[in-house]
Amino acid sequence: MFRVDGYKSKNVSIKGLKMDFKKINLDTEHTNTNYPPSKNKKVSVDYSKLREWDFKLLSYFKPFYAPLCNLCCLCTYGKCDLSKNKKGGCGINLEKQQARIVLLACCIGASTHAAHARHIVDHILEENPNLKIDYGNAINIVAPLSTTITGITPKTADDLDKILVYVEREITNLLAATHTGQEGSYLDFESKALHAGMIDNLALEIAELAQINYYNLHKGEPNTPLIDIGLGVIDDQKPIILCIGHNIAPGVEIIDYIDDMDLSEDIEVCGLCCTAIDISRYSKESKIVGPISRQLMFIKSGIPDIVVLDEQCIRADILELCAEQNIPIIATSDKCSLGLIEMTSKDENIIIHELLSNKHKGALIKDMAKVGKVAVGLALLLKKNQKPKQEHRNIDISELINGCTECEWCNRVCPAMLPIKEAFVLGKNGDLSGFSALYGMCVGCGKCMGECERELPIIDIIRIASKDKIASERFKIRAGRGPIQDIEIRKVGAPIVLGDIPGVIVLAGCSNYHNGENEIALITEEFLKRGYIVVAAGCVAMDIGLYMDKDGKTLYEKFSGDFDKGGLLNVGPCVANAHAIGSAIKIANIFAKIPLENNFTNVADYILNRVGACVIAWGAMSQKAVAIATGANRWGIPAVVGPHSSKYRRLYLGESELREITDKRTNEKVKCEPAPLHLIYCAESMNECMAMVAKSCIRPNDTPKGRLIKLTHYVDIYKKYYGCLPDDLHLYIRNEREIPYEDKKEILKFLKEKEWNPRNAPNEPSIL
Amino acid sequence: MFRVDGYKSKNVSIKGLKMDFKKINLDTEHTNTNYPPSKNKKVSVDYSKLREWDFKLLSYFKPFYAPLCNLCCLCTYGKCDLSKNKKGGCGINLEKQQARIVLLACCIGASTHAAHARHIVDHILEENPNLKIDYGNAINIVAPLSTTITGITPKTADDLDKILVYVEREITNLLAATHTGQEGSYLDFESKALHAGMIDNLALEIAELAQINYYNLHKGEPNTPLIDIGLGVIDDQKPIILCIGHNIAPGVEIIDYIDDMDLSEDIEVCGLCCTAIDISRYSKESKIVGPISRQLMFIKSGIPDIVVLDEQCIRADILELCAEQNIPIIATSDKCSLGLIEMTSKDENIIIHELLSNKHKGALIKDMAKVGKVAVGLALLLKKNQKPKQEHRNIDISELINGCTECEWCNRVCPAMLPIKEAFVLGKNGDLSGFSALYGMCVGCGKCMGECERELPIIDIIRIASKDKIASERFKIRAGRGPIQDIEIRKVGAPIVLGDIPGVIVLAGCSNYHNGENEIALITEEFLKRGYIVVAAGCVAMDIGLYMDKDGKTLYEKFSGDFDKGGLLNVGPCVANAHAIGSAIKIANIFAKIPLENNFTNVADYILNRVGACVIAWGAMSQKAVAIATGANRWGIPAVVGPHSSKYRRLYLGESELREITDKRTNEKVKCEPAPLHLIYCAESMNECMAMVAKSCIRPNDTPKGRLIKLTHYVDIYKKYYGCLPDDLHLYIRNEREIPYEDKKEILKFLKEKEWNPRNAPNEPSIL
Amino acid sequence: MSAWNPALSSPNQAIICSPKIAALTIKQSKNPMFVMGSLLNVIPEEIAEYAIKIAKLKHMTVVSTGGSNIMLSKLNFKPHYNIGAVELINHLKDSNWNGFCGKGNYDLICFIGVPYYIGSQGLSTLKNFAPHLKTITLCKFMHPNADLSYPNMSYDGWVIYLSKLVEYME
Amino acid sequence: MSAWNPALSSPNQAIICSPKIAALTIKQSKNPMFVMGSLLNVIPEEIAEYAIKIAKLKHMTVVSTGGSNIMLSKLNFKPHYNIGAVELINHLKDSNWNGFCGKGNYDLICFIGVPYYIGSQGLSTLKNFAPHLKTITLCKFMHPNADLSYPNMSYDGWVIYLSKLVEYME
């Protein structure tokens, strides 16, 4: 909703102008005539060709399995014990089972994004079927993933629908392969997982195309507004509507209704998880509480007056949690209905009345406009009636702390292995620093409380002990900008070739960190300072907003939002990861003139060998995250994940030795550095992550100058975080010109030990 | 393929007629004008209304959970220990997790059938897009499920496609709800599982409509030919092509090519699992090896010369197993590609050459016509070259038997808990009867061999010890007939109302029996003798064919194939379960004139309260089986499963007391017997199954005469299998006229003890 | 001692018990139930005989499931109730259930002769959702989901365990 | 003794070992490796000191992972190799791997200081896919996926176990 109450200039006078972008066709001139108009035919993609690519890829990057569970309980032959790679009743062994479970996870992840996209696209088809799909004049390559995968560049909602129909067909087919007695090869399971990942990425793009156009969100502006983020920014004197999830639809209607009613001064709308990022793309007045890790704590604080859920990343116990705090819930999605009575067809006032009367813990309302009205009306009334706030918002915690028996089970089940018991021990002596130290380290899962024999509300104790910390939690995050402009890609051509920009780092994934949320900010800062471009989306974009450097500035305030040297881009919510992958595709198209239509293999081969991009998913938790990363892998983009992600149970590892690839110009096999070394790798520590990411930006086609600079960073980072030279440095130096100046002497000695010899770089490196 | 080499009558002379039904439009006159022509609009179904039905259903039949695993390892917050209903890191507890896993299983099951249907429909769209969809003149209600759920009665391949697009959309959406952090209520998980089940059933119907029409399979003929079944019927003097799986496509092409080449005398084509049933619908010369439980043993026997795989119910180690026996594999599906090199685009002769040269263990060929040529060509050549047969086809087993250390681990991991060690103990004394007793009891999973510290080939030992038994395993099964005719439904109206036909029993599911395959035949026989109609599909249709009664006759030889009193119908493969559910829908439509279009709730309510149908899935093993049964449940059809199916971890249980339902005529609440008692129930033993099934055919709207007869069977069966009167008999007797004659005195005494009082039957029982 | 099928292992396993402990447990219970499953019909009679003896010694509520009444009535024993094993578990997991005699739910449920897999699943329901009661199995196979379980045994070992239990109960 | 996180239980659990057994196991190995993980950087120095002592006593191949070289070099110890923990596991699971010195794969892999979850996963890989080698963990937390593991301990208990191990090795 765009609104101008009054404006007057020399030639124009406006009064009370309201524009609802959802209803308007911005028929901007289409300049992207490169792509053929979409036909009415079904989308069809040759899986056989993709499978061939997968097998190529997997011949360099071999699946590595670390079972999280040795059993299979999916059919009634079981439970089967597959440990030591034994076979189960259906003939599957532990190795294949791992690959199968990864495929299942990728299918679940892809389905989630696809269902999300489906919701928005169906909504558009109903409300504004003629909506034109584009990103304005600065962006010709509107849908790099769709174009490359399907040959279709969507221009209408119908096109989006058509691609989604393909996505849904593929997911169904892939899921079928996880059925007992279907696929019998880990390699084919992996090919399917890669396919599911790519399909996931495609769904991301469709979701973004749909919501950015329908809700008129930022279409690639680098300098989007800075938005408030942090528990400290929420004004609890106002009625507070908290939106949780990933789907912008209800949030938009709430904001529009508040606007319509002129209530923006009177109501606080805030968000948790990707929905927060999304509504901040729609209205710069909305506030962000934080990532998923803040959900449990914020609900238990009793601060929100009403909680509106859409879908994804919602705690499964949200209804019980909110009921404890007398917070009514409005569920809005088929995917998260919580057993609530559906009230979609009821009158708003009746719904408000029923929810006020406490007869129901919440309502399911699938009409988004109605959600807006009910949420706002209810919030105002609840605040007016001053619903009884829960006592323990400012509970006396010392007594609770003294109740701890020090059984240590909290520590034992804590995913982050935090010293909770130790905080209690300190706390008994009146020292709360142990608890406040946990704030920002805790991932907010609440397992400690479930295990506590005294049922102590540990999360509340942490919150209350961290009061000051929370009050000062007032940070800034740049609103999600959406896609990268074509012109930006063009501009970074030279600096990337010359190494001035040593790489593009994509931050993705959730907030399940093993060592606190600060590490990802430190990683980001390290690479930004070195001139890498960092593109963030989703929870991690929020997490890095929760960090201040020595000057008291967040990284968003310190680094620009341009896709350029040292730029830090918040592209948007999780689904905006499509833009990050899209930027790599655009590089292939804009620099190398590689045509995109139906050209997945060549584009991915180009990215793998020539685009120095690397994903970091330091806190990846969900099936969506594994789908996104696996998709990125198929596009040729390596990923580094955090220690917890070893529980995804599969990595793709290359070998640390010269590898044979093809020089496409001469069509000869050539020996070449292993770059990227791995396709997906799990680092043990921040130190390892730093070095691995620096190394993962190296590519076979680096110019000597570019390689020199990349290696300078690699060596510098390695020395900083390992205290020595990397053991594999000799593999990446092709000739003396590429040896970093600073440590040249030491390196020359090292090269001699390794019996290093110079070699030529391939002209056109390829694994095809 | 229909072929007449030569025929001469008075008026007609035919020579060399060949008709390929796949290419012909049988434009039979459409009499089903009841249904509006399908429009070009998307299929759209109101889930909210269905959810309301689910919640009603679940208020009578409450979910009962028996966790098979207490842990959750689906995201990286985990692994979480949910035992004792604790919460995991995402807030889910053990109860919700069970519901979530059931939903996941239903999604996997539904996706498998949907992907199967998709394969055939896409094939039709390519090869014969104008194919008309119908079942001939005897069947007006062509697509009872599609019509009821979607309002569309498919008439063309495009219609099938459109419905499948809906199916795929729903599966994607449902799968998304299993993602960490989505649904948070076990009730909504269950509603979604029921939805996934219904969607699965819909996919079954689409698959059947497609394949029956495209391949011109039987369209509801009661008296289809009797087909050879059993390991003993395979002629191993001929080259043997074994088809395994569920998709008819490659089998048809093999048979057609054999026909084209006039080779039917020279080659043996046989099938395992549903593909076997399918090809026996296409060619009465094809033979059936048996259900899934025979797979491991038959492959290890080395008898097949070539194995052609399509999809589903294929052992995950099939490639290794066949390689051990030097049997080349042709994989034909994206869903089961086994890591094989794709040779679709290669010349047939080159493929045959490469496979003969042993360079590859097999090939992936996705062009079905090519599969036919390669399989046949290769089989002939392999037989000619007399490939070295594996030694242990007639190995000396006594030495092997003596190798047993009697560690008993075989027994410990056997899903059926068979006395394998005990067979070895006997065997050491030269008595092989222990092993031959295992034949027919063993589900063929092979876990015993994986666990054996001496790596003894236990399955081979069983096979060799059972040589005579196997040689005499020559049985008959009636070929799959497809749908039930409308006229048949009409004819059973009176006998069903009068109790002459006390119920319709649907046999579904796999061959994972806990006490041997004979039990299901005994159950079937018991009910057939009593005049119940028994409709079988899939593996279970084969299992009951493997049993001979005292007269040396199989049940198929003894009982007619009519949908009438004491009829035993093999409707076809697993997907033919749609016809069984469809028959219940047709009863609602034909008897009660309940309109079908978009009328799911009323149809299901009718079936639940008035159609005495009950599913038995005695050996249900797969996710497909759970999807089918859950779908049947949503249609109001109860199911009884075997002990192993407790591992599906969720049942829907009613309470054994009078329940309050609605009399639709008076719109009053009335007390009524709990009929059906449960919606899905797991019986501990065959005895319990017998009684529960008899009880599950009782319905609130039974006429007094009908109820009397149903109760007569219930009491008779109970006394036979429990040795006493059922404890709950008083609940089902509404007035004295309904008391079975035989035991009237005893029952009257019992009723008095129970303080029984007569009551009126509701006029129009309903739970709406 | 692990489960008969080791795949059934889980974080909380049954405590293995001797006949003595079993006897003590049963004796100490206030309102015990003895569930006799369908396998009694297919295993030697003596097992059912032991079961009946045990039940009589403590006046336990005896429930016959899956048709074991056939064997029990052959031995002239009339169980208090015939009900499906799953239906029974469904009652037991409800702490407010009134029991068959209206005296409330039971405090100890003793199992014998229910087929292993369905028994294991039923025990899983009780273990996870019925904190108000205790379960003990007197079967031949170790049941990880019970609170107390006999170990895996040979048939002869089992008979000895059962006879000893009778001794300790007397 | 169960795993630190009981959810990590599985049918085959590590044997809990005392410092004596650990010492014996290491002594008897022919080609042992000692993996020193990144936690050495963040826990008290003395742990790394013990680890170094142990490694030296048996001349073990010392591999530093995740940046623990920072601490090791602070203590003037140069590990034989710096490599990622996952990369190392990937080598180890290959029975044909030649080892860092070309002498073939190792027979005993001793772990300390690798973060628990990723350590547990790496051990799972070895347990299930590397029957050719044995693993032992000297960490503060019980590792169910190792062959041999120290029990869950307090910090002080851990130091005692490590010092005793050094004693037995000497």
Side-chain angles (χ1 to χ4, degrees), chain B residues 402-423:
Chain B
N402 286 322
C404 168
T405 62
E406 299 178 26
C407 72
E408 208 176 22
W409 274 90
C410 44
N411 287 13
R412 276 185 83 161
V413 299
C414 175
M417 301 184 82
L418 297 174
I420 307 169
K421 184 202 78 177
E422 288 75 4

Short mmCIF file of all heavy atoms in Angstrom, two decimals, chain B residues 402-423:
data_model
loop_
_atom_site.label_atom_id
_atom_site.label_comp_id
_atom_site.label_asym_id
_atom_site.label_seq_id
_atom_site.Cartn_x
_atom_site.Cartn_y
_atom_site.Cartn_z
N ASN B 402 25.69 -77.58 8.43
CA ASN B 402 26.58 -77.93 9.53
C ASN B 402 27.46 -76.75 9.97
O ASN B 402 28.04 -76.78 11.06
CB ASN B 402 27.45 -79.12 9.15
CG ASN B 402 26.63 -80.41 9.16
OD1 ASN B 402 25.76 -80.59 10.02
ND2 ASN B 402 26.87 -81.28 8.19
N GLY B 403 27.56 -75.76 9.10
CA GLY B 403 28.35 -74.58 9.47
C GLY B 403 27.70 -73.69 10.50
O GLY B 403 28.35 -72.82 11.08
N CYS B 404 26.44 -73.89 10.73
CA CYS B 404 25.70 -73.01 11.65
C CYS B 404 26.24 -73.10 13.07
O CYS B 404 26.46 -74.19 13.59
CB CYS B 404 24.22 -73.39 11.62
SG CYS B 404 23.25 -72.64 12.95
N THR B 405 26.45 -71.95 13.69
CA THR B 405 26.98 -71.93 15.06
C THR B 405 25.86 -71.88 16.10
O THR B 405 26.13 -71.81 17.29
CB THR B 405 27.87 -70.70 15.26
OG1 THR B 405 27.05 -69.53 15.07
CG2 THR B 405 29.01 -70.67 14.26
N GLU B 406 24.64 -71.84 15.61
CA GLU B 406 23.47 -71.77 16.49
C GLU B 406 23.49 -70.52 17.40
O GLU B 406 23.05 -70.58 18.54
CB GLU B 406 23.31 -73.06 17.30
CG GLU B 406 23.11 -74.26 16.39
CD GLU B 406 23.01 -75.59 17.14
OE1 GLU B 406 22.60 -75.58 18.30
OE2 GLU B 406 23.34 -76.63 16.53
N CYS B 407 24.01 -69.43 16.86
CA CYS B 407 24.07 -68.20 17.64
C CYS B 407 22.68 -67.61 17.83
O CYS B 407 22.47 -66.76 18.67
CB CYS B 407 24.99 -67.17 16.97
SG CYS B 407 24.29 -66.45 15.45
N GLU B 408 21.77 -68.00 17.00
CA GLU B 408 20.36 -67.61 17.09
C GLU B 408 20.08 -66.18 16.61
O GLU B 408 18.97 -65.67 16.76
CB GLU B 408 19.86 -67.77 18.54
CG GLU B 408 18.37 -68.04 18.61
CD GLU B 408 17.87 -68.29 20.04
OE1 GLU B 408 18.53 -67.88 21.00
OE2 GLU B 408 16.81 -68.91 20.17
N TRP B 409 21.08 -65.51 16.03
CA TRP B 409 20.82 -64.14 15.58
C TRP B 409 19.86 -64.09 14.40
O TRP B 409 19.17 -63.11 14.20
CB TRP B 409 22.14 -63.41 15.28
CG TRP B 409 22.66 -62.80 16.54
CD1 TRP B 409 23.50 -63.38 17.43
CD2 TRP B 409 22.30 -61.53 17.07
NE1 TRP B 409 23.69 -62.55 18.50
CE2 TRP B 409 22.98 -61.40 18.31
CE3 TRP B 409 21.48 -60.49 16.66
CZ2 TRP B 409 22.86 -60.27 19.11
CZ3 TRP B 409 21.36 -59.36 17.46
CH2 TRP B 409 22.05 -59.25 18.67
N CYS B 410 19.82 -65.15 13.61
CA CYS B 410 18.83 -65.22 12.52
C CYS B 410 17.43 -65.08 13.10
O CYS B 410 16.62 -64.29 12.62
CB CYS B 410 18.97 -66.52 11.74
SG CYS B 410 19.18 -67.99 12.77
N ASN B 411 17.17 -65.83 14.14
CA ASN B 411 15.86 -65.74 14.78
C ASN B 411 15.59 -64.34 15.32
O ASN B 411 14.48 -63.82 15.23
CB ASN B 411 15.77 -66.70 15.97
CG ASN B 411 15.66 -68.15 15.53
OD1 ASN B 411 15.88 -68.44 14.35
ND2 ASN B 411 15.35 -69.04 16.45
N ARG B 412 16.63 -63.75 15.89
CA ARG B 412 16.42 -62.46 16.55
C ARG B 412 16.03 -61.37 15.60
O ARG B 412 15.32 -60.43 15.97
CB ARG B 412 17.68 -62.05 17.33
CG ARG B 412 17.74 -62.68 18.69
CD ARG B 412 18.91 -62.18 19.50
NE ARG B 412 18.64 -60.91 20.16
CZ ARG B 412 19.35 -60.47 21.19
NH1 ARG B 412 20.35 -61.19 21.67
NH2 ARG B 412 19.08 -59.30 21.73
N VAL B 413 16.53 -61.42 14.37
CA VAL B 413 16.22 -60.32 13.45
C VAL B 413 15.09 -60.67 12.48
O VAL B 413 14.67 -59.82 11.70
CB VAL B 413 17.46 -59.87 12.65
CG1 VAL B 413 18.53 -59.37 13.59
CG2 VAL B 413 17.98 -60.99 11.77
N CYS B 414 14.61 -61.90 12.51
CA CYS B 414 13.54 -62.29 11.58
C CYS B 414 12.26 -61.52 11.90
O CYS B 414 11.75 -61.61 13.02
CB CYS B 414 13.29 -63.79 11.69
SG CYS B 414 11.89 -64.32 10.68
N PRO B 415 11.72 -60.77 10.93
CA PRO B 415 10.50 -60.00 11.22
C PRO B 415 9.35 -60.92 11.61
O PRO B 415 8.49 -60.52 12.39
CB PRO B 415 10.18 -59.30 9.90
CG PRO B 415 11.36 -59.42 9.04
CD PRO B 415 12.16 -60.59 9.54
N ALA B 416 9.34 -62.14 11.08
CA ALA B 416 8.24 -63.05 11.40
C ALA B 416 8.60 -63.93 12.59
O ALA B 416 7.82 -64.80 12.97
CB ALA B 416 7.89 -63.89 10.18
N MET B 417 9.78 -63.73 13.17
CA MET B 417 10.24 -64.51 14.32
C MET B 417 10.17 -66.00 14.06
O MET B 417 9.73 -66.77 14.91
CB MET B 417 9.44 -64.13 15.56
CG MET B 417 9.57 -62.65 15.89
SD MET B 417 8.73 -62.18 17.41
CE MET B 417 9.90 -62.65 18.65
N LEU B 418 10.63 -66.40 12.88
CA LEU B 418 10.57 -67.82 12.52
C LEU B 418 11.68 -68.60 13.21
O LEU B 418 12.75 -68.06 13.49
CB LEU B 418 10.68 -67.96 11.00
CG LEU B 418 9.53 -67.33 10.22
CD1 LEU B 418 9.81 -67.40 8.72
CD2 LEU B 418 8.22 -68.03 10.54
N PRO B 419 11.45 -69.89 13.42
CA PRO B 419 12.46 -70.72 14.11
C PRO B 419 13.53 -71.21 13.15
O PRO B 419 13.58 -72.39 12.79
CB PRO B 419 11.62 -71.88 14.66
CG PRO B 419 10.47 -72.00 13.72
CD PRO B 419 10.20 -70.63 13.18
N ILE B 420 14.38 -70.29 12.73
CA ILE B 420 15.41 -70.63 11.74
C ILE B 420 16.50 -71.48 12.38
O ILE B 420 16.92 -72.50 11.84
CB ILE B 420 16.00 -69.34 11.12
CG1 ILE B 420 14.86 -68.45 10.59
CG2 ILE B 420 17.00 -69.67 10.03
CD1 ILE B 420 15.30 -67.05 10.20
N LYS B 421 16.96 -71.03 13.52
CA LYS B 421 17.99 -71.80 14.20
C LYS B 421 17.52 -73.24 14.42
O LYS B 421 18.25 -74.19 14.21
CB LYS B 421 18.33 -71.17 15.55
CG LYS B 421 19.49 -71.88 16.26
CD LYS B 421 19.49 -71.65 17.75
CE LYS B 421 18.46 -72.52 18.47
NZ LYS B 421 18.49 -72.37 19.93
N GLU B 422 16.27 -73.35 14.82
CA GLU B 422 15.71 -74.68 15.08
C GLU B 422 15.75 -75.53 13.80
O GLU B 422 15.99 -76.75 13.86
CB GLU B 422 14.28 -74.55 15.62
CG GLU B 422 14.19 -74.04 17.06
CD GLU B 422 14.45 -72.54 17.23
OE1 GLU B 422 14.64 -71.84 16.20
OE2 GLU B 422 14.50 -72.07 18.38
N ALA B 423 15.53 -74.91 12.65
CA ALA B 423 15.62 -75.65 11.39
C ALA B 423 17.04 -76.15 11.17
O ALA B 423 17.26 -77.27 10.68
CB ALA B 423 15.16 -74.78 10.23
#
